[in-house]
Amino acid sequence: MMKQWIKYVISMLVCLGIALAIFCGIIIYQMHTPIVMQQSTIEIPKGASLGNINVVLSAQQVITHPAVLWKIYACVTRQSTLSIRAGEYLIPKGSTAADMLKIFTSGKVFQHKVVLPPGITVNKALSILAYSPKLKNDLKGVSVATLAKHLGIKHVWSEGLFYADTYFYTAHSNASTIMLRAYQQLKRKLNHLWQNKAEHLPYKTPYEALIVASLIAKETGIAEERRKISGIFVRRLQQGMRLQSDPTVIYGAGCHFKGKLTYHDLRRKTVYNTYLINGLPPTPIALVTEADIDAALHPLEGKVLYFVAKGDGTHVFSETLQDQQQAINKYQKQRRADYHSTPLNNNNYHAVEKEVSNAKQR
């Protein structure tokens, strides 16, 4: 009788063992079956755990495994002591529930990115941030006139104080955090490069170099042209010539600029119109990169004093006004369909100079 009872118990234990093995096998199979058909992101809220992760994923229409499967699998694979970490995670195509468990306990949250390209204004940068996914726009209503104060930066005007670069952020980060990072990066780059600047530059402060860097950023995106244009600006400053930079006219015109630079724009009296003012404009006019700052601090030596856009993104450089006028006649007067800038023509140079002379007498 006792032997039969022992055999019975053994049989029951074997059956239970087999059943448990089958059950665990089913769980492992289900947890390792690909369920994500395409790459996507999943956001895990604060407070999520192995006990309610299925509710979170079901709400996002990702997975419907019951919570017990997650718990048993975690125990079997010795992951029960790991915590689900809040955040947004990237789930690759073909991922299984087991893969997702590893991802959710890793804490390696998904990084969004936003690009602030060189040559854009602060207002444009704020617009880019406002439309960036999963980024809190805590700068709504802030402008170039109020941004510095809003961020605690000791500048009256915030234009040009932010570094053009690619910035990464996690879901629900603040736009102000990115702008502060851009400001700190610009500050570090500018201060570092200022320590190794060329000699005899016409800049009294790093801020003045930043102003020239912003003009370079607006004038060209061609790497080999930056130092050439920098050299022109530096020589003009040293010789007391006006910079005559079209982007400064456009910036000063603001909403009055209609997309095509005109003679009327060149005669508009603003503190940024370098056809009418001497020296530098009062502030930078755009975001810059390290290459722009480096060019401003290491201008190319030579005798070139003029340049004109060809309309294809490149420029023609001239040492004399006569050569410059010939380049203008060639590239402006042809009125090419793909031409995007309208420099002064031969007659307009003298007209503007006369206007400035009259203004001084008045």
Side-chain angles (χ1 to χ4, degrees), residues 33 35 45 50 59 86-87 102 116 134 181 196 200 217 219 239-240 272 315 327 332 339 345 357:
T33 300
I35 56 174
L50 287 172
K102 289 181 180 179
L116 300 181
K134 298 294 182 71
R181 285 164 53 194
N196 301 295
H200 310 302
E219 290 284 8
Q239 296 178 29
Y272 288 92
H315 297 80
Q332 180 188 359
Y339 194 81
N345 61 32
S357 178

Side-chain angles (χ1 to χ4, degrees), residues 197-209:
K197 66 183 184 297
E199 296 181 352
H200 310 302
L201 294 176
Y203 315 136
K204 296 178 181 178
T205 64
Y207 189 71
E208 290 187 348

